[in-house]
Amino acid sequence: VGGGDAAVLEALYLSQIAKEVNIFVRKDHFRAIESDRLETLLSKPNVHVFYETEVKEIKGNEKKLTHVVLQSKGKPAPFDFPL
């Protein structure tokens, strides 16, 4: 979650060990200053970026996270995003 340099750096790390990395950015662009890292991140096939999307709630049970509730600009209601 986020669009700054820290979010880009962490997503790059996760993209090396996870099957899929989803990034939720509240604005319509990243705020990251390091453009080389951002370019590298966006070129990764297992990285998916959701712009103008805000995490409203994180849900799960005692064992694991199951989904997040998101609100996207232009959508009238929040929606579930399964994890």
Side-chain angles (χ1 to χ4, degrees), residues 41-77:
L41 177 67
L42 296 176
S43 71
K44 299 231 178 219
N46 64 332
V47 172
H48 310 283
V49 180
F50 298 86
Y51 294 101
E52 297 183 326
T53 303
E54 189 173 345
V55 175
K56 293 294 192 181
E57 205 173 339
I58 299 171
K59 295 195 172 194
N61 55 41
E62 298 84 30
K63 295 185 181 194
K64 67 178 185 173
L65 296 176
T66 57
H67 64 283
V68 291
V69 179
L70 303 174
Q71 177 69 54
S72 287
K73 185 176 179 182
K75 292 207 177 198

Side-chain angles (χ1 to χ4, degrees), residues 28-48:
D28 63 351
H29 62 280
F30 279 90
R31 292 178 294 120
I33 296 170
E34 297 185 39
S35 58
D36 290 344
R37 279 191 179 152
L38 180 57
E39 244 180 71
T40 301
L41 177 67
L42 296 176
S43 71
K44 299 231 178 219
N46 64 332
V47 172
H48 310 283

Side-chain angles (χ1 to χ4, degrees), residues 4-16 32 34 37 41:
D5 288 313
V8 170
L9 190 60
E10 292 301 319
L12 267 173
Y13 170 72
L14 289 171
S15 72
Q16 296 172 12
E34 297 185 39
R37 279 191 179 152
L41 177 67

